[in-house]
Structure formats: C-alpha cells, structure tokens
Amino acid sequence: MIPANSGLRLVRMLSLSSQSALYGAYVFAFAAAAVVCFAMVPQARRIEHEETRRGLFWLLVTSGGWAAAHVGYLTLPTIGLRYGSYVLGLVVGIASVGPWLYFCSAYTGRSIHRDPAIRRAFLVVFLVIVGVKLTNPIHQWYFVAEWATEPFAYLEMRHRAFHWIVMGLAYALAFVGFFMLFELFVRVNSDTRPLFVLIGLTGIPVVLDVAGAVSPNILDITYSSIGVAAFSVGVFSLYFDQFQFVRVAGETTDPIVVVDESGDLRDYNQRAAELFPELSNSIDEPLSTLAPDLAAAIDEQDSILQLEDSDGTRYYNVSSNPFMTGGAQTGRSIVLTDVTHREQYRQELETKNQKLEQFASIVSHDLRNPLQVAKGRVELAIEDQDVKHLEPVVRAHKRMEQLIEEMLTLAREGVAIDETEAVDLRRLAEQSWEMVAATDASLSVDIGDGTTVSADPERLQQLFENLFRNAVEHSSTSPPSQTPEDAVEHGGSDVVVTVGVLADGAGFYVEDNGPGIPPDDREQIFETGYTTSEGGTGFGLAIVSEIVDAHGWDIRAVEGSAGGARFEIRTE
C-alpha cells in the first residue's frame, strides 16, 4: 500500500515536470523565433526591390529583438532584469508595426510608406507610447507586475487599460497591412495560396494574444514574433520566386508573364491570362507553344504585338527583363505595355505623310495637262502671231488654279465628298476633253442630252481627264523620247475615246480602241505608282479610283468592244 504523502509527492513531481516542460517550450519557441529572424536578415538582401527589402529587413530585426526580449523576460535571474527585458520587448514590439506597414506598402506597390505626413504621425504616436511604457513604474497605466506560479513560476504582467488601447491600435494597423496584401493576392492571377498562408502565420499569434488575456494556462504576452519567423522561413526557403513575382505583377496593371531559362511558363498575372487564355493551367509548358506570337516578340527590339480583345485591336510593346533570384538569373519576366494610342497616332502620322507625298505627286501629275495645253498654245501664238491661241491658255490657267484649290481642299478634308449635284455627263465629258493635249485623238460621246449623274462636278471632271489622258498616253505610237511639248505639236496617237452609258443605265463607261489592258494587270492598274508606260507616273488611275471611292461608286477595267481598254463606273 502506497502512503498518502507519497501520492501527493508524485502529483507534485508530475506537476513540476509538466511546468518545466511548458516553461522549456516557451523559452525554446521564442529563442528559436529570435534565431530564425536574425538568421534570415542576410537572406533579405536577395530581394531585388529596395523598399521591400528595407521593410522586411527591419521587420526581421525588430521581430528578432522582440523574441529575444521575451527569452530574457523568461530566463533572466532577477526580477529587475526580467522587468527591464519585458519593457524592452514592449518597445521593440510596438516598433515592429512600422516596418510591417512599410513592407506591406512597398511590396504591394503603394506609396503610403513614402508619405512624410504619415511617417511623422507614426513617429509621434510611437514616441508617446514608448514614453508611457518607460514611465510605467510611476503611473502604472500600462501594467502591474506580480510574481505568479501558474502555469509556471514567472513575473506576470497584469495589463491595464492603456495596454489594450495600444494593442487595439497595433492590431488595427497590422490588419491594414493584411488588407493591402490580400488585395494584391486577389488581383494577381498567380497561385498565391502558399504566400497567403505564410502571411497568415504572422496574424495567427493574435489568437494566442487574446487567449493569454483570458486563460491562466497561457502567458499573457505577445506571440507575433513567432509568426514573423515562420513567415520568413517559408518565403526564403520555399516560395521566394513566387514572392518576387507577386510583387512585380502587383505593382502594375500591365500583363506580365514569367518564363524560366528554357522558355517554359512559370507564372503570369490576371491581365496576361485575359490576353492569352491558353496560359491558364499550363505552368511548365513552353511559351512558344502556348503563345507563339508573344514568344517570337521577346527577342525583337522594340517589338509591337498586335492583339484582339473585347475592346478591339490593341497594340503592346513587349519588353523582357532578367528575373533574378539571389543574384542569379533564373528566367525572364515579360511585360506587355499598352501603347495602343501611341501606335494609332504613329499610324495616323504615317498615313498623313503618305497622303502628303501622294498629294504632291497628284498635284504635279494633274497640272501637267493644262500646263501642256497652255505651253503649246503660247508657242503657236508666238509662231502664228495669232492671239486666238491664247483663249485656251486662259482656260488652262483657270483649270490649273481650280486643280490647285481642289487638291488643297482634298489634303485638308480627305477624299470624302459631302455634297453632290446633278451633273450633265455629256457636257462634262466634252469639257474635260478640252484639257487633254492630243490633237490627233478624238472623243465620241454616246450619251443622250440631259443624262445626269449625282456627283461632285469638279472631281468628276478630274476623273474624266485622267481616263482620257490614260487612253491617249497608252495608245500612243510615238517614240519614248517624245516630250510633252512634242505631244502638243504632233498630237499624240489617233486613238478614239468613247464615253457612254452602261447598258443597264446604272453608270457610265470610258473606252478606247487602243491595245487594251492585259487581264493580269486589270486589278493592279488602280494602285498608286503602278504604270506600264515608260514615261508614266502611275497616278492617273489611282486618282480615278480615289474619286470613285469618294463617291461611293465602283470601277472595274474590262476589254472594250474594239479590243481596247474599257473602264466601267457603276454609280448605283
């Protein structure tokens, strides 16, 4: 039979053993947190972003100091030393709120940590709180120290109202940081669950803080430094690349894709997934297979990628930057910057420049007809001493002035035609023929009197003149060396040009009895600069096509009734 006092001693021994184990667990936990935090300080140098690196560095330093102060509070030999260590922990602990917010703001791409007003306000609040903590022996607003034996022998701090006010403020600021991180993780398409869990470790100790205030079996001290230690181990040992990527992806709304050295997909953000849906659930697959256009644009300097999305055609500048881990390149981050407005403006300028060049060429081209007429008539007037030759010169000069004004209007207003009127086709065709320098050629108008078409008369006359001249120049048997002056004197070819109405009455035609246009060339002849004549400019039929388009008509080149060229203009 076991004596009663022996049972009591056994229970006491078991209780002491349990207390010693619990005491040892507390000391080990905080000591391990301090060691881990300080050990991870050099690892923080691996972070590329300077402000994120600075914030995490000081968070590790203050958290490590906080945990070390708790170790001193539990293990130092005298009550005075334990008291002092606890107060030191209170100061360092509240100081860690600043680096935490600094880190969260910098990591999520915000500028809160740079705001001078916020920094000054934090410093003032910090100094006030520290002042109250350091003067606690005088007023005891913060805590009252008493020796306790449960759950083991230690210096218990019974907290007063000011402590809970400060703790409430600290928790509120800490959760502001959590919110910034949570918003970032939601915005970035990457699998942020591991990082979310790690960040959550820094907040879980709040549960122990609350439990310590209501349960005698849990020490009423702060446990946040343990969470910071767990977070730092997870980031630097397991998810450092993802930690870096989330920061890069979160600081911009641009699409970002990360590939490794072999070109396989490593990560992407939500905007990239919207542009390239094929990236979804395709980690570790070659980017060249998933998005070949993007992969091809990576190595091109100043490459512009054209993509279609819900907003229409968008243009993106593709840039590739090394993705570093611990100073070593482990891949590349590909950033697509939306340059749609810039590219559209560039294309608009390019189009305007092309139009300007074309305008200059057209002016030169169309002025040649009346200029040849005027020059030839002046020479005849001088030779024959007959002023009647000067009447066509006056008309030619007026025509040149008219052409210049119209071309300037075209350059300012484009090719669109706003107003039309009923134009007498027969009369306008005959009037246009007078501007063509070809005395041996003839015009046949197979149009009844009063036949009209709704058109801009000036532009329609320009159309006729260019078709007429095209017929004369491409039907001429004169030698290539013949000059425009010779054309006036010798009259060019004896081609017959016919203007008539289409059989169905839906338009009109201009045809000649010349050599015609080869079938293979009939689609190209309306392109600017295209010509089959040695002395041609390639603008005549391009001008015709532009005038037809401006009216909303259609034109096609076919074989004429006599084997020559025939241009059919459909106005309906």
Side-chain angles (χ1 to χ4, degrees):
M1 185 172 177
I2 301 175
N5 57 352
S6 297
L8 292 174
R9 284 197 301 270
L10 178 60
V11 171
R12 190 177 297 111
M13 290 176 61
L14 290 174
S15 178
L16 291 174
S17 175
S18 176
Q19 289 180 349
S20 298
L22 184 59
Y23 173 77
Y26 270 99
V27 173
F28 175 80
F30 286 112
V35 170
V36 167
C37 287
F38 290 135
M40 293 299 160
V41 167
Q43 297 296 319
R45 298 175 182 172
R46 297 167 57 192
I47 299 174
E48 293 182 25
H49 190 243
E50 180 181 355
E51 292 180 329
T52 301
R53 180 173 65 247
R54 184 183 301 123
L56 189 55
F57 171 87
W58 285 109
L59 178 61
L60 291 172
V61 169
T62 53
S63 296
W66 196 2
H70 281 336
V71 173
Y73 162 67
L74 293 172
T75 61
L76 288 175
T78 67
I79 292 178
L81 290 176
R82 291 192 179 194
Y83 186 97
S85 185
Y86 181 78
V87 173
L88 176 62
L90 289 178
V91 173
V92 177
I94 195 64
S96 67
V97 176
W100 166 253
L101 289 175
Y102 189 101
F103 160 75
C104 292
S105 176
Y107 182 70
T108 57
R110 291 173 168 82
S111 59
I112 298 173
H113 58 289
R114 301 193 202 102
D115 191 321
I118 293 178
R119 295 170 72 162
R120 285 194 297 268
F122 183 87
L123 179 61
V124 170
V125 173
F126 171 75
L127 292 176
V128 170
I129 292 174
V130 169
V132 173
K133 291 181 177 182
L134 294 178
T135 58
N136 184 72
I138 300 174
H139 50 70
Q140 294 189 335
W141 292 348
Y142 209 89
F143 63 87
V144 175
E146 295 179 357
W147 189 258
T149 58
E150 294 294 337
F152 48 77
Y154 75 105
L155 183 64
E156 181 182 12
M157 302 299 177
R158 295 187 180 276
H159 295 113
R160 297 294 181 91
F162 199 84
H163 166 80
W164 297 113
I165 293 174
V166 173
M167 288 295 290
L169 176 62
Y171 285 155
L173 293 175
F175 277 105
V176 168
F178 281 122
F179 175 79
M180 288 190 282
L181 295 170
F182 176 76
E183 189 274 336
L184 171 65
F185 292 162
V186 170
R187 180 156 38 95
V188 176
N189 190 69
S190 171
D191 182 9
T192 57
R193 287 173 296 180
L195 286 181
F196 191 81
V197 171
L198 290 175
I199 292 292
L201 291 177
T202 63
I204 289 177
V206 173
V207 177
L208 295 175
D209 293 347
V210 175
V214 298
S215 174
N217 296 320
I218 299 177
L219 263 63
D220 187 11
I221 56 177
T222 49
Y223 297 83
S224 296
S225 58
I226 298 176
V228 172
F231 162 71
S232 63
V233 169
V235 164
F236 292 116
S237 302
L238 300 175
Y239 297 104
F240 185 72
D241 287 352
Q242 193 173 23
F243 173 81
Q244 293 259 70
F245 169 74
V246 169
R247 187 204 63 78
V248 173
E251 70 179 1
T252 177
T253 57
D254 291 336
I256 297 180
V257 177
V258 176
V259 297
D260 59 21
E261 282 294 88
S262 60
D264 293 341
L265 181 66
R266 290 290 304 279
D267 222 326
Y268 54 91
N269 65 357
Q270 184 174 354
R271 185 68 182 112
E274 293 172 359
L275 286 181
F276 305 98
E278 55 274 15
L279 299 182
S280 299
N281 302 318
S282 300
I283 298 298
D284 295 330
E285 293 187 23
L287 183 65
S288 57
T289 301
L290 300 171
D293 292 341
L294 175 60
I298 295 175
D299 297 322
E300 298 179 10
Q301 187 175 6
D302 297 326
S303 59
I304 300 295
L305 190 62
Q306 179 178 332
L307 298 173
E308 301 293 334
D309 63 9
S310 57
D311 297 327
T313 302
R314 311 292 298 180
Y315 298 89
Y316 294 89
N317 175 257
V318 182
S319 60
S320 174
N321 302 298
F323 196 77
M324 311 297 291
T325 301
Q329 181 175 339
T330 58
R332 289 185 289 179
S333 60
I334 305 163
V335 181
L336 287 82
T337 305
D338 193 328
V339 293
T340 300
H341 294 301
R342 188 187 74 185
E343 184 65 15
Q344 289 174 341
Y345 181 67
R346 185 194 66 79
Q347 292 179 359
E348 183 179 345
L349 284 180
E350 191 174 272
T351 300
K352 287 182 178 179
N353 288 336
Q354 291 174 350
K355 281 289 184 183
L356 184 60
E357 293 177 4
Q358 184 180 11
F359 166 71
S361 301
I362 290 174
V363 169
S364 172
H365 180 268
D366 279 12
L367 286 176
R368 191 167 62 180
N369 270 345
L371 185 61
Q372 287 178 180
V373 171
K375 189 172 184 178
R377 289 289 186 168
V378 168
E379 290 176 353
L380 290 174
I382 294 174
E383 182 179 343
D384 299 341
Q385 295 184 353
D386 189 349
V387 295
K388 68 179 182 180
H389 291 298
L390 297 180
E391 293 180 4
V393 175
V394 173
R395 289 197 299 271
H397 284 162
K398 287 182 178 179
R399 178 58 181 157
M400 284 189 285
E401 181 181 2
Q402 186 180 41
L403 278 172
I404 291 172
E405 291 179 356
E406 182 179 346
M407 287 298 180
L408 289 173
T409 301
L410 176 63
R412 289 192 296 264
E413 302 179 5
V415 299
I417 293 176
D418 295 328
E419 297 183 4
T420 60
E421 60 183 75
V423 179
D424 188 315
L425 271 179
R426 181 183 185 87
R427 191 162 68 91
L428 188 64
E430 293 173 343
Q431 179 180 321
S432 302
W433 181 257
E434 295 178 5
M435 292 296 105
V436 178
T439 55
D440 291 340
S442 61
L443 174 68
S444 173
V445 182
D446 188 13
I447 299 176
D449 291 334
T451 302
T452 63
V453 63
S454 180
D456 179 330
E458 302 300 332
R459 303 290 291 279
L460 184 55
Q461 179 172 343
Q462 192 179 2
L463 178 148
F464 275 130
E465 289 180 13
N466 278 280
L467 287 177
F468 293 162
R469 190 178 71 174
N470 180 77
V472 171
E473 289 184 350
H474 290 81
S475 300
S476 175
T477 56
S478 303
S481 61
Q482 186 183 48
T483 64
E485 292 83 353
D486 295 331
V488 174
E489 184 178 350
H490 298 294
S493 68
D494 56 356
V495 64
V496 176
V497 181
T498 303
V499 180
V501 178
L502 295 178
D504 58 4
F508 59 93
Y509 67 86
V510 176
E511 73 172 35
D512 61 61
N513 61 351
I517 302 171
D520 293 341
D521 293 341
R522 290 173 186 168
E523 294 293 330
Q524 304 176 59
I525 58 175
F526 298 108
E527 297 177 3
T528 302
Y530 182 85
T531 181
T532 58
S533 173
E534 183 175 338
T537 63
F539 286 103
L541 293 181
I543 296 171
V544 170
S545 178
E546 186 173 281
I547 295 172
V548 167
D549 290 341
H551 281 89
W553 301 340
D554 293 311
I555 186 171
R556 66 171 184 153
V558 297
E559 184 176 350
S561 57
R566 177 183 172 102
F567 296 93
E568 295 183 347
I569 295 95
R570 291 196 165 272
T571 59
E572 298 179 5

